[in-house]
Amino acid sequence: MNSVLPQNIGIDISKASLDCHARPAGIGRQFANTKKGYAALIKWIAQWHVERIAYEATGVYHRAFEQALVGCPLVRINPERARRFAQATGTLAKTDTIDAAMLALMAEALKPAPRPERAQNLNQLAELVNARDGLVRDRTALKNREKNLTLPLLKRQAKQRLEQIARHIDAIDALAQKIIQADPELVRKQEIIASISGVGILTAAQLIATMPELGSLENKQAASLAGLAPVARQSGQWKGKCFIRGGRANVRQALYMPALVAARFNPDLSAKYKQLIAAGKPAKVAITTVMRKLIVTANALIKADRVWVKSLP
């Protein structure tokens, strides 16, 4: 019999299994983290009217889960937020079953909005960007180690590995562009983002992959989602320094170098950067402000479907 009350499903995703808990029904089940397990899970969920299915971000495991449950009201929860919610309820123990129950309770209490479905080409772009970021980290680490190498063999191997990484990055960039060029909507988004002074084609592709919501958000939402909105710290008459926190680190990573360029060559943002420095703000704060303005500008331009135009003097 179907439950009268809408259900919130909490799912803890591990390599081997999916631990599930339905609230307020209070029913728990475990399914294999396989295609057969996904099919059984969907059949189990079908007995209720489900408002949202909450799960933690777990990399490759949650991506496979998302692809299997396309069409369901999925809510991806930041693991840190989920843990703090559990602690706030007085739950200190941590098991897969407890985590699933806490996620269901969190979904019921906070009612986070389900994520909009993401097209397969955007999933592919996101995976390519993640792989590229890993290669860039490998390249940086190898270059740092290379400085301390003395043996010819190790120097030769380091050089060969750097050349291989460069080829792999080029191949990823080429495939990412091929995916974008096959979709007129993504082509237009890339054109708009790349028109902003300081932002290039590569950064535009990274933003499309890591923040596909651009163009559908309010400006404050865009800044907050990127983790670039200042967080206030105030209690009574005490007022601490504002800082940024949370959000999508890969978006901030993609924006950092363009912000440095924009602070020098984008007339509007250069003026803002110089104004902040003149006011005694640290360079890091000024650059963060430029990053925030870049993401807000990209969001506004995509929403208006127009390219960036240099302001008149």
Side-chain angles (χ1 to χ4, degrees), residues 18 20 32 99 116 138 152 154 178 181 198 201 215 221 239 250 268 271 289 313:
L18 307 170
C20 308
D99 286 350
D138 290 346
L154 297 181
K178 183 178 179 180
Q181 294 302 316
I201 292 292
Q221 288 178 315
K239 187 175 182 180
N250 49 9
D268 300 332
T289 301

Side-chain angles (χ1 to χ4, degrees), residues 111-162:
K111 294 180 169 45
R115 296 170 62 91
E117 290 184 23
R118 192 158 69 169
Q120 181 62 21
N121 58 352
L122 289 176
N123 287 328
Q124 293 171 345
L125 277 177
E127 189 169 350
L128 288 172
V129 168
N130 287 336
R132 191 185 195 282
D133 289 344
L135 288 171
V136 170
R137 288 193 296 269
D138 290 346
R139 182 177 62 189
T140 301
L142 185 54
K143 284 184 176 180
N144 290 334
R145 291 197 303 270
E146 187 183 27
K147 298 174 184 177
N148 299 317
L149 299 178
T150 59
L151 295 177
L153 172 64
L154 297 181
K155 288 183 177 182
R156 186 167 62 252
Q157 289 179 342
K159 181 182 177 182
Q160 291 171 349
R161 175 57 180 150
L162 286 171

Side-chain angles (χ1 to χ4, degrees), residues 209-263:
T210 56
M211 203 165 171
E213 299 91 346
L214 281 175
S216 63
L217 304 169
E218 297 300 322
N219 288 343
K220 289 184 178 180
Q221 288 178 315
S224 179
L225 193 59
L228 292 168
V231 178
R233 299 172 67 215
Q234 185 175 345
S235 178
Q237 295 185 352
W238 175 83
K239 187 175 182 180
K241 292 182 178 180
C242 295
F243 59 94
I244 61 171
R245 185 174 182 180
R248 298 180 184 175
N250 49 9
V251 174
R252 296 192 298 276
Q253 182 180 353
L255 286 172
Y256 182 72
M257 289 304 297
L260 292 178
V261 176

